[in-house]
């Protein structure tokens, strides 16, 4: 039987032709195609200015630098996320303040953010984990009240919406990743967006050696640029994004209709105010051994994954930095029960039924006690 993959970039003739056109043009590095991608993506998200960069990690680092966050500053980040959200703060010399997440959405807890704000807090990074928006409306209000920046890490949430508005348009700055597995990919790539022209001007300088005029350098920067063939791929992907997200949503709804019937498994939630884009379909395996279920699924020819087996406070790097004794029970529990199941747009309704039925069998086989 065909192996069902966890991820499968959707690359058609539009993407291939767009990249070939750039190769034929011989204009390979930064240029008008990158600028067109910036304009189109900013317009899609509903933000005025954008700077394409080499990946989502760099997008976070440059966003923090553009906001002048550095040594002595604190930045509040969720304890349950991909490592780059937290390490980007370390990379600019600031202190990540880890807070717990909501047990249903996996996203940063608004209440915990409020408790963690100090006189040193300069920013909050809200991650829209797995494609479900964080409560950016509440977070933006808190940040505005306290005079701190809201940064959205929207690496996993291209096209997701909160309260009828795209994520990436709620923060003072937002960042995206276009890594190979993302809902919109350029292979590697990233973008920083903001309605503040000065922030994006600074990001554009930082990504290009701090240059203000040819070979004249005003600040410490580096080479964090995107290539034209990556941007061409991104433009072709952007045209399909809504359609591909709709297929993800259809697949997720189908899978949830099966998962809901399995005792001891919780499907992902979608808040009434949210539009989830299912970058990942994160189920919770509550009454069976999660790792046993994962092995069983793999043996049935279905790729699954754990996002994330280790919360940030328990990562060896963070333990070394003294975060190991922090107790953040929600994220620690989620890391033991989360199991990501495939719902990517390359899967048919039959594939999804196979995923759901295999899960039912594996959960029964691995039931505890
Ligand atoms: C939440 C989150 N933030 C940041 C990143 C970093 O993006 P990149 O891999 O493009 O550097 C990722 C990518 O996997 C991510 O999932």
């Amino acid at each position: 039987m065909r192996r069902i993959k966890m991820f499968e970039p959707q690359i058609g003739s539009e993407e291939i032709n767009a990249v070939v056109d750039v190769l034929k043009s011989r204009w390979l590095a930064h240029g008008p195609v990158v600028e067109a991608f910036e304009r189109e993506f900013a317009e899609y998200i509903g933000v005025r200015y954008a700077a394409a960069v080499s990946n989502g990690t760099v997008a976070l680092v440059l966003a923090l630098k553009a906001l002048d966050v550095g040594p002595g500053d604190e930045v509040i980040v969720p304890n349950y996320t991909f490592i780059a959200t937290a390490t980007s703060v370390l990379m600019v010399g600031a202190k990540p303040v880890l807070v717990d997440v909501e047990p249903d959405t996996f996203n940063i807890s608004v209440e915990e953010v409020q408790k963690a704000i100090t006189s040193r807090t300069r920013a909050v990074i809200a991650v829209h984990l797995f494609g479900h928006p964080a409560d950016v409306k509440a977070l933006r209000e808190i940040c505005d009240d306290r005079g701190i920046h809201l940064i959205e890490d929207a690496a996993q949430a291209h096209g997701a919406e909160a309260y009828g508005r795209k994520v990436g348009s709620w923060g003072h700055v937002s960042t995206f990743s276009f890594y190979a597995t993302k809902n919109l990919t350029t292979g590697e790539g990233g973008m920083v967006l903001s309605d503040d022209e000065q922030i994006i001007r600074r990001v554009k300088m930082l990504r290009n050696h701090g240059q203000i005029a040819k070979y004249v350098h005003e600040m410490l920067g580096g080479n964090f640029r995107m290539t034209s063939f990556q941007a061409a791929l991104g433009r072709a992907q952007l045209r399909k994004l809504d359609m591909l997200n709709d297929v993800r949503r259809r697949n997720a709804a189908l899978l949830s209709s099966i998962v809901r019937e399995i005792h001891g498994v919780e499907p992902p939630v979608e808040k009434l105010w949210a539009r989830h884009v299912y970058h990942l379909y994160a189920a919770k395996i509550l009454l069976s051994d999660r790792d046993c279920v994962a092995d069983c699924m793999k043996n049935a020819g279905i790729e699954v994954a754990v996002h994330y087996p280790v919360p940030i406070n328990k990562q060896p790097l963070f333990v070394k930095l003294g975060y190991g004794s922090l107790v953040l029970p929600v994220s620690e529990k989620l890391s033991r029960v989360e199991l990501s199941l495939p719902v990517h747009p390359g899967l048919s309704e039959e594939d999804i039924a196979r995923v759901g039925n295999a899960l039912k069998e594996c959960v029964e086989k691995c039931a505890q006690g």
Side-chain angles (χ1 to χ4, degrees):
M1 220 185 300
R2 186 170 77 91
R3 191 164 183 81
I4 294 184
K5 290 192 187 147
M6 189 65 212
F7 299 105
E8 202 170 68
Q10 300 299 302
I11 304 296
S13 54
E14 300 82 356
E15 282 83 355
I16 292 168
N17 292 338
V19 174
V20 169
D21 284 348
V22 169
L23 297 177
K24 284 182 181 161
S25 79
R26 306 290 193 274
W27 195 332
L28 304 186
H30 180 91
V33 180
V34 178
E35 282 156 21
F37 183 38
E38 289 171 340
R39 274 194 308 275
E40 289 165 8
F41 193 69
E43 194 188 333
Y44 174 80
I45 298 297
V47 173
R48 291 174 72 188
Y49 306 103
V53 294
S54 37
N55 57 61
T57 306
V58 156
L60 281 164
V61 171
L62 299 194
L64 287 162
K65 277 191 175 289
L67 293 172
D68 218 12
V69 174
D73 296 332
E74 292 178 359
V75 178
I76 299 175
V77 299
N79 192 46
Y80 200 80
T81 178
F82 180 63
I83 192 76
T85 315
T87 47
S88 61
V89 177
L90 293 174
M91 286 171 86
V92 300
K95 179 181 169 196
V97 174
L98 304 176
V99 301
D100 220 339
V101 296
E102 303 284 358
D104 53 356
T105 61
F106 296 81
N107 280 326
I108 195 164
S109 155
V110 173
E111 216 181 308
E112 296 303 319
V113 167
Q114 268 170 316
K115 286 193 230 157
I117 294 174
T118 71
S119 58
R120 289 176 182 265
T121 308
R122 291 287 315 285
V124 175
I125 306 184
V127 181
H128 306 297
L129 205 67
F130 307 145
H132 189 293
D135 192 347
V136 266
K137 193 174 183 196
L139 291 169
R140 179 70 199 234
E141 274 169 26
I142 293 166
C143 288
D144 283 349
D145 273 359
R146 305 294 293 257
I148 56 186
H149 299 294
L150 176 63
I151 301 172
E152 291 178 79
D153 178 349
Q156 302 188 1
H158 318 71
E161 290 174 15
Y163 304 95
R165 233 171 82 191
K166 293 248 161 51
V167 305
S169 70
W170 288 88
H172 298 93
V173 191
S174 64
T175 64
F176 285 82
S177 161
F178 305 124
Y179 179 64
T181 57
K182 299 294 194 270
N183 291 29
L184 186 167
T185 183
T186 60
E188 296 274 8
M191 189 103 64
V192 184
L193 288 93
S194 179
D195 280 328
D196 184 332
E197 194 174 6
Q198 288 315 312
I199 291 175
I200 297 304
R201 191 180 153 266
R202 280 169 66 84
V203 172
K204 286 183 176 174
M205 286 175 70
L206 288 162
R207 78 174 173 193
N208 194 26
H209 300 288
Q211 180 169 281
I212 39 159
K214 191 87 178 153
Y215 301 128
V216 182
H217 306 273
E218 195 182 77
M219 58 165 92
L220 176 62
N223 175 359
F224 306 115
R225 298 180 303 253
M226 179 182 273
T227 67
S228 289
F229 43 95
Q230 287 170 305
L233 178 51
R235 292 179 77 194
Q237 287 262 290
L238 181 57
R239 289 185 200 111
K240 297 178 178 173
L241 178 61
D242 286 338
M243 184 270 288
L244 293 175
N245 279 343
D246 284 345
V247 181
R248 283 178 188 272
R249 287 177 57 78
R250 181 210 66 184
N251 285 349
L254 270 173
L255 187 53
S256 287
S257 68
I258 306 173
V259 169
R260 240 176 254 119
E261 303 301 316
I262 308 176
H263 182 61
V265 181
E266 268 179 25
V269 299
E270 183 179 51
K271 295 281 186 186
L272 285 175
W273 47 265
R275 180 180 159 84
H276 195 328
V277 290
Y278 295 97
H279 169 59
L280 289 164
Y281 182 101
K284 293 180 199 135
I285 310 296
L286 298 171
L287 300 177
S288 304
D289 181 76
R290 189 265 318 271
D291 297 335
C292 168
V293 175
D295 286 343
C296 172
M297 293 292 282
K298 284 174 203 160
N299 290 337
I302 297 166
E303 283 183 11
V304 295
V306 172
H307 297 94
Y308 297 90
V310 184
I312 305 292
N313 63 327
K314 300 293 178 198
Q315 291 288 347
L317 168 68
F318 279 81
V319 171
K320 262 188 254 162
L321 293 172
Y323 288 80
S325 55
L326 260 183
V327 180
L328 296 165
V330 179
S331 30
E332 287 164 30
K333 172 163 184 201
L334 289 174
S335 67
R336 289 192 294 272
V337 300
E338 193 279 346
L339 187 67
S340 305
L341 304 168
V343 290
H344 65 74
L347 297 177
S348 66
E349 295 185 18
E350 293 72 43
D351 292 328
I352 296 295
R354 219 182 111 196
V355 174
N357 294 334
L359 184 70
K360 188 170 186 308
E361 278 176 28
C362 290
V363 164
E364 280 163 15
K365 192 177 145 222
C366 299
Q368 285 168 332

